[in-house]
Amino acid sequence: MRLLRHHLRRAALAAAVTSVAALTGPTVPAGAATPGSAVLDTDHQSTTWQSPRYAKGTLGGAGDCPPAAQDPGGAVCDRFDLTVNVPAGYWDDNPEGGVPLSIQWQTPTDDFDLYVYDADGKEVAQSAGTADPEATVIPQASGTYHVLVVPYDVHDNSYTGRAYLPQTADAGDLTSFGGSQGSYDISAGTLKAKVDFLADDQLRLRAAPDGVLTEPAGSTIIRRQPELRRDTSTFDAGTYYGIRSGALVLRVYKHPLRFGLYRADDRTALWQEDAPLRWSTSGLRQSLQRGADEQFFGGGEQNGSFSHRDQTVHVANSTNWNEGGYNNSQPFYVSSAGYGVFRNTFAPGIYDFGSPVRTGQQERRLDAYYFTGDVKSVIGKYTALVGKPFMPPVYGLEPGDSDCYLHNANRGERHTTDAVKIADGYVQNQMPLGWMLVNDGYGCGYEDLAKTGDGLRKDHAQLGLWTQNGLPNQAEEVKAGVRVRKLDVAWVGNGYDFALNACDQAKAGIEDNSDSRGFVWLPVSWAGAQRCGVLWSGDQSLSWDYIRWQIPTYAGATMSGIAYNTGDVGSIFRRDPKMYTRDLQWKAFLPAIMTMDGWAKDLTGKEQRDQQPWLDGEPYTSVNRKYLQLKERLLPYMYTLSAEATRTGIGAVRPLALEYPDDPAALGPDAKYEFLAGPDFLVAPVYSDTSVRDGIYLPKGTWTDYWTGRTYQGPTTLNGYAAPLDTLPLFVKGGSIVPMWPKGTLSWQNRDRTELDYDIYPQGDSSYTLYEDDGTTRQFTQGASATQRVDVHANRAVTTIKVGASVGGYADKPASRGYRLTVHGQPAPRQVVTAGGPLPRLASAAALDSAGSGWFHDPATGVTEIRTPSVSTDHAFSVELIHGGH
């Protein structure tokens, strides 16, 4: 399994440090045929070297390389020492940010991996995917570095290594300016630039120092280029030309050439270059002035962070699954100043959000799309360009389970149909399960696929397969029942365009051979992957720290239009009952989750452990059941958020700063380790071995503790919050209206369709619109869906709940249903009235369960539960809770 071997390489780093510390070799002039070392300085700008020829690979990582003294001539792994001598400040404004290093294989189908260590043996750079060439950058390089190349999977193959010092040049004075009707051509000597104004206050700026404007990304990321906006005009302001379009003015400065984007008044800057475009040997950067309070978000999945002011963000092909990694990064960011920018490229980039803001890619070209508006609208415009988030099948929002059954070296010989026994376990333990991956693609194939699928579907779970490097039998597999795909780095990591092609192909394969929606997972991706897949943060080992940094990771990914970003529940490689349960609690509020079984051991590393949520016994099983069942009940809410994401680009998991952009504390250290699930739930996970949660920040508004009913008025910070093992700190915003399936629901498929619940937190006037469709087919794209609006008006005398008609239709839509309304934070009403008259007051919740209709008030929680008679979904109705009067 390739993901596993990435982990093993890092786990063996201690052994690798011993190896690189012993690296030795004869010093020869830079550029020699096979040097053991070289120097890069003002006299030696580049170096190349040739590796030995390897008959076979190591099938391992850096830790599998013997020490240099035991590996004469690099017979097992190749070693090269690189010394970088540059003046102080050399890298301060260099587009490439360090020394680019690459290895080009002689046979592209083979696989070499590249690692770079500093003089102390610390890994500073690596490229260990399947790309050819493998390429990385030694950031801020100065001193001696040890390059280690592992011939992972080779067959009589060698490589050529290359490293160089990037040289820089800047754009000069404007030499020509012209154009009309939305498109303008600009020159500064040999540099050529082109500006295209697009609909909805967007523009595209391209530039090339050699004067040749190219489009290496083609149509892979952007499927269809936007139309030009032709109602533009120009004016000469002396020091700059202005191009006016709708609400924008682009300034084109003359001496030297620079750009600035302003509002229609030509005085309010959205962004302004503080220096000309600068390019290097293989890079180009843009430098912008930074506002006093300007904030920056985006960059795709950035492990451990969501807000990037004063930070440097990398966007590149990375298989570092830990904090600081960026395996699902995207060349996009959004600024609180009212703009966002997407670089239309597959090249790696470095975005420094200091002052000034310097952003660039490792290529000598600029191709940037600029969007304007607030953060939400910018995300919407960006995803409209690269692809809105896909609409998952409803079972995709239920928990998933993954393992290798056939030829599993960790668990002994089994059969694919043994997966059904695991699905049976979910049913027996009353835990929801939506889908299962029954292989891993790395030597673990499958047998009896149709029989396995039949068995899983009896347990209301869909069949899924994991593919290592292709989909040669997709049509047959889908016809046998496959409805879920997981891709892996051996395929999707070989260039970002392959990632998108693989994701699009996997999704289309399901949809072309069935009436179902494609549901695809992938661990390494690029801009546009949100249109076709769930992004998965990779192989990780369980620890409290692992739980901590994942919280801002998934919330931050939403700021790049990634609606589905997640990690394994309890990680893949270790298992601890308490950590697993704490991890599952908060991940129940992510749209998509799964367990990865078959590779974990306990914290001692001795005992093999699987990852199903009932394996630790009590109290853990009951707590895990509680949160998985809550996740299932909340599926109408999450599903509606999924439908919203297809329209707006905004996913369910949100940093507080997205919903509270004017609250500085939403960017503070407390808010970093909590998130919003939709606009209504605030989740503050417990990420340490404690039963008390400190630093829970509640922004402006009224917040109700989901478990106790206690209310808090924000903004406020809670310390000393009691959070025993069964309690996830969870708060609901005042005014929320939350749709839920009935208590006891374990599957979307056999749920009680004759009842729908609404959990209501009255505060003044509020409303909510539920989205529904058949849950699995693509008929919703043809309009087969329905919406239902609920309005709540609350004052001291009466709380009125208006449930609208369900507008629209889809297959198997219920003709009628009863409603269970849970109304929080109110004194006991004097009576509850519908159009048919008062409902009976009942003595207990149990009595309400057995009654056809009625209401019950619990004075301990301040909750009034109401059960209505069955009502036609084509008709609206109202319920009034009368508090005052006689």
Side-chain angles (χ1 to χ4, degrees):
M1 187 178 72
R2 182 158 182 105
L3 294 188
L4 177 58
R5 70 110 163 170
H6 279 283
H7 173 81
L8 293 178
R9 287 185 304 201
R10 292 192 298 274
L13 185 56
V17 169
T18 301
S19 175
V20 299
L23 282 171
T24 59
T27 301
V28 297
T34 56
S37 63
V39 174
L40 294 180
D41 56 22
T42 54
D43 297 321
H44 305 93
Q45 300 294 321
S46 66
T47 185
T48 61
W49 74 95
Q50 185 66 41
S51 79
R53 182 167 289 275
Y54 295 96
K56 62 179 182 179
T58 66
L59 291 176
D64 297 281
C65 297
Q70 300 174 20
D71 189 20
V76 180
C77 298
D78 194 34
R79 300 169 174 82
F80 185 75
D81 281 7
L82 183 67
T83 299
V84 181
N85 293 326
V86 292
Y90 187 90
W91 302 114
D92 287 352
D93 191 15
N94 187 294
E96 292 173 78
V99 169
L101 183 68
S102 65
I103 56 170
Q104 178 75 54
W105 315 337
Q106 302 304 309
T107 305
T109 55
D110 284 355
D111 183 357
F112 288 85
D113 291 334
L114 170 65
Y115 302 88
V116 184
Y117 305 89
D118 64 15
D120 296 325
K122 178 183 178 183
E123 184 180 305
V124 295
Q126 59 102 344
S127 181
T130 58
D132 177 27
E134 295 284 0
T136 188
V137 172
I138 307 174
Q140 304 287 311
S142 180
T144 297
Y145 299 89
H146 307 297
V147 181
L148 183 68
V149 179
V150 182
Y152 172 72
D153 185 12
V154 302
H155 309 82
D156 192 28
N157 199 356
S158 63
Y159 72 86
T160 301
R162 179 174 184 255
Y164 65 88
L165 279 181
Q167 306 298 302
T168 62
D170 294 339
D173 290 344
L174 181 73
T175 53
S176 69
F177 172 83
S180 63
Q181 293 188 318
S183 187
Y184 299 85
D185 296 304
I186 299 158
S187 298
T190 60
L191 180 140
K192 305 295 183 185
K194 189 175 187 65
V195 176
D196 291 327
F197 282 81
L198 309 172
D200 204 14
D201 291 327
Q202 303 174 60
L203 63 89
R204 182 186 187 189
L205 173 61
R206 288 178 283 171
D210 63 1
V212 180
L213 299 176
T214 60
E215 296 196 39
S219 60
T220 306
I221 304 174
I222 302 171
R223 297 296 189 82
R224 185 175 63 181
Q225 290 291 344
E227 296 292 329
L228 283 175
R229 177 171 181 166
R230 300 187 180 278
D231 56 338
T232 59
S233 60
T234 63
F235 59 91
D236 189 341
T239 59
Y240 62 88
Y241 289 108
I243 309 174
R244 188 180 301 278
S245 170
L248 301 175
V249 170
L250 179 71
R251 293 184 180 182
V252 182
Y253 292 91
K254 302 176 181 179
H255 307 292
L257 173 63
R258 290 176 297 125
F259 298 94
L261 187 62
Y262 286 71
R263 300 196 186 278
D265 59 11
D266 195 25
R267 293 190 298 272
T268 307
L270 295 172
W271 56 262
Q272 170 65 60
E273 290 186 344
D274 78 317
L277 293 175
R278 169 170 286 191
W279 56 90
S280 58
T281 309
S282 297
L284 185 148
R285 71 98 178 100
Q286 184 180 44
S287 183
L288 304 178
Q289 297 173 5
R290 189 181 75 175
D293 300 312
E294 190 174 3
Q295 303 294 331
F296 304 90
F297 312 96
E301 178 196 311
Q302 296 288 328
N303 287 349
S305 64
F306 76 91
S307 177
H308 307 314
R309 182 181 170 93
D310 293 323
Q311 305 296 318
T312 297
V313 166
H314 292 262
V315 291
N317 181 9
S318 169
T319 51
N320 175 4
W321 316 125
N322 298 315
E323 187 170 16
Y326 41 90
N327 47 294
N328 287 300
S329 54
Q330 298 192 1
F332 163 82
Y333 73 88
V334 56
S335 163
S336 63
Y339 78 95
V341 58
F342 161 65
R343 299 290 184 91
N344 183 30
T345 179
F346 291 122
I350 302 175
Y351 298 174
D352 180 353
F353 294 110
S355 183
V357 174
R358 291 169 173 158
T359 63
Q361 310 294 142
Q362 291 173 31
E363 60 181 0
R364 281 168 58 99
R365 59 185 288 275
L366 173 71
D367 188 352
Y369 289 79
Y370 297 90
F371 318 97
T372 60
D374 62 20
V375 171
K376 283 188 175 182
S377 66
V378 166
I379 294 171
K381 294 172 183 178
Y382 165 58
T383 52
L385 186 70
V386 303
K388 285 281 196 283
F390 74 102
M391 185 67 185
V394 65
Y395 51 77
L397 302 182
E398 296 178 318
D401 188 289
S402 175
D403 201 352
C404 162
Y405 289 91
L406 190 66
H407 312 315
N408 187 326
N410 295 324
R411 294 294 184 268
E413 191 64 24
R414 297 186 293 181
H415 298 286
T416 306
T417 52
D418 289 334
V420 178
K421 300 174 185 177
I422 301 298
D424 292 344
Y426 279 90
V427 174
Q428 293 159 7
N429 285 279
Q430 296 184 297
M431 295 180 178
L433 176 68
W435 51 276
M436 291 188 72
L437 302 175
V438 299
N439 72 322
D440 71 5
Y442 288 87
C444 175
Y446 58 77
E447 60 185 5
D448 297 324
L449 196 61
K451 182 179 179 181
T452 303
D454 289 341
L456 294 181
R457 284 187 291 276
K458 289 178 182 177
D459 287 332
H460 310 296
Q462 296 296 319
L463 175 65
L465 290 179
W466 188 344
T467 180
Q468 178 184 356
N469 54 15
L471 294 168
N473 304 308
Q474 185 160 222
E476 293 80 6
E477 290 166 343
V478 172
K479 290 174 184 176
V482 170
R483 295 295 182 269
V484 182
R485 286 284 183 186
K486 184 175 181 297
L487 313 179
D488 213 330
V489 296
W491 186 23
V492 305
N494 191 14
Y496 292 116
D497 51 339
F498 287 5
L500 291 177
N501 290 344
C503 188
D504 289 334
Q505 181 183 344
K507 184 173 184 289
I510 294 172
E511 297 182 352
D512 290 346
N513 294 284
S514 74
D515 64 353
S516 299
R517 302 172 204 170
F519 189 57
V520 181
W521 286 52
L522 64 163
V524 179
S525 65
W526 197 242
Q530 49 265 69
R531 70 190 182 218
C532 57
V534 175
L535 306 186
W536 172 64
S537 62
D539 289 343
Q540 287 122 5
S541 287
L542 184 63
S543 68
W544 291 113
D545 202 46
Y546 154 87
I547 296 174
R548 173 192 58 79
W549 65 255
Q550 285 194 321
I551 301 166
T553 300
Y554 306 137
T558 301
M559 306 300 265
S560 296
I562 297 171
Y564 308 98
N565 194 194
T566 190
D568 300 330
V569 174
S571 83
I572 177 176
F573 292 118
R574 295 205 293 180
R575 172 100 178 199
D576 172 81
K578 186 182 293 184
M579 291 185 197
Y580 180 96
T581 295
R582 286 300 196 188
D583 197 43
L584 182 146
Q585 285 176 352
W586 73 273
K587 284 180 176 170
F589 284 84
L590 302 181
I593 61 170
M594 75 168 171
T595 61
M596 185 75 74
D597 309 301
W599 296 279
K601 293 184 178 182
D602 64 10
L603 294 184
T604 70
K606 297 179 181 179
E607 182 184 347
Q608 290 183 328
R609 300 296 307 275
D610 278 335
Q611 299 279 35
Q612 279 81 33
W614 62 84
L615 295 179
D616 292 314
E618 297 300 343
Y620 309 103
T621 297
S622 292
V623 177
N624 295 338
R625 179 185 298 115
K626 168 183 172 179
Y627 285 93
L628 290 177
Q629 289 189 4
L630 177 59
K631 177 178 178 59
E632 190 74 15
R633 288 200 70 200
L634 286 170
L635 279 188
Y637 181 74
M638 280 293 180
Y639 197 70
T640 297
L641 288 171
S642 291
E644 177 185 322
T646 65
R647 300 190 304 271
T648 67
I650 306 298
V653 180
R654 306 172 185 182
L656 270 63
L658 182 61
E659 296 293 337
Y660 300 90
D662 299 325
D663 185 351
L667 297 165
D670 290 337
K672 182 175 182 179
Y673 297 111
E674 56 190 46
F675 65 92
L676 296 167
D680 301 294
F681 289 96
L682 188 147
V683 184
V686 176
Y687 54 88
S688 62
D689 189 4
T690 181
S691 59
V692 175
R693 177 63 152 87
D694 293 326
I696 301 174
Y697 178 69
L698 303 177
K700 182 180 179 181
T702 301
W703 296 90
T704 298
D705 186 317
Y706 188 78
W707 310 113
T708 69
R710 181 178 176 180
T711 60
Y712 301 87
Q713 198 65 35
T716 189
T717 299
L718 306 184
N719 291 310
Y721 180 90
L725 182 67
D726 69 342
T727 301
L728 168 73
L730 180 64
F731 304 85
V732 188
K733 185 179 179 181
S736 295
I737 304 168
V738 180
M740 302 179 76
W741 283 339
K743 293 178 182 178
T745 299
L746 298 177
S747 170
W748 70 276
Q749 214 162 11
N750 65 352
R751 71 187 188 274
D752 182 357
R753 297 170 184 265
T754 68
E755 178 183 321
L756 179 66
D757 299 352
Y758 280 103
D759 202 29
I760 299 170
Y761 297 77
Q763 187 173 56
D765 294 327
S766 60
S767 65
Y768 175 85
T769 301
L770 171 74
Y771 172 86
E772 298 175 290
D773 59 31
D774 65 31
T776 61
T777 78
R778 301 184 301 282
Q779 292 301 312
F780 74 96
T781 63
Q782 307 300 317
S785 62
T787 59
Q788 182 177 54
R789 176 169 170 145
V790 178
D791 292 278
V792 177
H793 172 76
N795 57 40
R796 291 184 178 181
V798 63
T799 297
T800 302
I801 303 168
K802 296 181 178 179
V803 179
S806 177
V807 180
Y810 56 89
D812 296 325
K813 176 184 173 180
S816 62
R817 59 190 174 197
Y819 295 83
R820 191 154 182 158
L821 310 176
T822 307
V823 185
H824 293 257
Q826 298 281 334
R830 182 169 55 83
Q831 60 179 343
V832 176
V833 179
T834 68
L839 295 178
R841 181 172 185 172
L842 303 175
S844 67
L848 188 64
D849 291 337
S850 59
S853 63
W855 64 277
F856 165 74
H857 179 80
D858 184 350
T861 60
V863 172
T864 301
E865 290 190 56
I866 304 165
R867 190 168 184 179
T868 75
S870 184
V871 180
S872 169
T873 52
D874 291 334
H875 295 92
F877 70 94
S878 295
V879 175
E880 291 186 338
L881 288 75
I882 300 173
H883 307 293
H886 300 284

